Amino acid sequence: MITMDDIIREGRPTLRKVAKEVTFPLSEEEKNLGNELMEFLENSQDPQKAEELQLRGGVGLAAPQVDVSKRITAVLVPSLDPDSKEPEFKDVLYNPKILSHSVQEACIGEGEGCLSVDRDVPGYVVRQARITLRYYNAEGEKKKIRLKNYPAIVVQHELDHLNGVLFYDHINKESPFTLNEGVLVIE
Ligand SMILES: OCN(O)CCCc1ccccc1
Ligand code: NI
């Protein structure tokens, strides 16, 4: 089971590498890793388990964050409606790739954080507002979906990890909270 001890922090080289694509059929190890990444997210979003295991809450976790330089990431974005059990987006993505995206950009109003970054880095992280994502599931089935709002932002944060990019790389150093015309701010 993945806990915070397994998550590497900034400064570790794997976080700055371009991760390798997986080939199908997946090895048992690659299948297990995908499941363990998702299990971490589920535990981290369960108040009791997060407390017991001392987990920071996460909506995504990429293989490079557990020192595995492979193009695998789990995403678990809970529903906006606290009464609904259905997550807004939940899947383990193998070899994810953005096929196309909106011209419009978006950012999260409160900025972003990262399980591999043990400090607050204030500022807007401007990303594509809407994306068309292609990925493979654990069975090697090709998926093609369109995402917008928070799920689109989270997936782009995770894909960055597969390319050795951290969220604060996108923040304007001179003026962290400057926004161009038309950038959607997601609250
Ligand atoms: O890589 C996942 N991770 O570090 C957990 C936080 C993910 C995340 C947080 C804010 C906005 C987008 C994504
Ligand atoms: Ni992260």
Side-chain angles (χ1 to χ4, degrees), residues 103-183:
V103 171
Q104 187 175 31
E105 297 175 310
C107 65
I108 295 177
E110 60 192 33
E112 293 188 16
C114 183
L115 292 167
S116 296
V117 177
D118 291 330
R119 60 195 171 99
D120 285 338
V121 186
Y124 288 137
V125 180
V126 177
R127 299 185 184 278
Q128 316 300 348
R130 292 173 296 284
I131 61 174
T132 299
L133 178 75
R134 184 233 58 209
Y135 66 95
Y136 296 87
N137 65 13
E139 287 66 47
E141 292 160 347
K142 190 178 198 177
K143 304 284 182 181
K144 187 171 162 188
I145 59 169
R146 296 173 60 75
L147 295 172
K148 62 181 179 182
N149 296 327
Y150 194 40
I153 297 290
V154 174
V155 165
Q156 291 174 77
H157 176 113
E158 301 316 319
L159 265 64
D160 268 355
H161 277 301
L162 305 183
N163 295 320
V165 174
L166 294 175
F167 73 93
Y168 52 72
D169 298 343
H170 299 283
I171 295 174
N172 180 320
K173 309 270 175 302
E174 288 70 49
S175 176
F177 289 99
T178 293
L179 276 184
N180 290 339
E181 192 81 19
V183 177

Side-chain angles (χ1 to χ4, degrees), residues 17-172:
K17 280 187 198 160
V18 176
K20 276 192 72 175
E21 288 205 332
V22 294
T23 55
F24 291 91
L26 296 177
S27 65
E28 279 313 298
E29 198 181 7
E30 288 162 339
K31 269 189 202 159
N32 291 338
L33 178 58
N35 291 332
E36 286 203 281
L37 293 171
M38 183 58 77
E39 182 194 41
F40 173 90
L41 298 179
E42 290 164 339
N43 290 343
S44 82
Q45 293 179 23
D46 174 315
Q48 187 178 340
K49 288 194 182 138
E51 166 68 26
E52 273 164 25
L53 297 163
Q54 288 296 292
L55 305 181
R56 262 184 72 186
V59 290
L61 188 61
Q65 293 183 274
V66 291
D67 212 15
V68 175
S69 197
K70 291 185 176 181
R71 303 186 82 79
I72 307 169
T73 183
V75 178
L76 176 53
V77 179
S79 162
L80 291 166
D81 167 4
D83 299 337
S84 132
K85 290 270 169 297
E86 274 303 296
E88 211 180 341
F89 181 64
K90 174 178 184 176
D91 216 344
V92 180
L93 318 178
Y94 290 89
N95 296 343
K97 180 180 168 57
I98 293 173
L99 297 179
S100 61
H101 60 76
S102 57
V103 171
Q104 187 175 31
E105 297 175 310
C107 65
I108 295 177
E110 60 192 33
E112 293 188 16
C114 183
L115 292 167
S116 296
V117 177
D118 291 330
R119 60 195 171 99
D120 285 338
V121 186
Y124 288 137
V125 180
V126 177
R127 299 185 184 278
Q128 316 300 348
R130 292 173 296 284
I131 61 174
T132 299
L133 178 75
R134 184 233 58 209
Y135 66 95
Y136 296 87
N137 65 13
E139 287 66 47
E141 292 160 347
K142 190 178 198 177
K143 304 284 182 181
K144 187 171 162 188
I145 59 169
R146 296 173 60 75
L147 295 172
K148 62 181 179 182
N149 296 327
Y150 194 40
I153 297 290
V154 174
V155 165
Q156 291 174 77
H157 176 113
E158 301 316 319
L159 265 64
D160 268 355
H161 277 301
L162 305 183
N163 295 320
V165 174
L166 294 175
F167 73 93
Y168 52 72
D169 298 343
H170 299 283
I171 295 174
N172 180 320

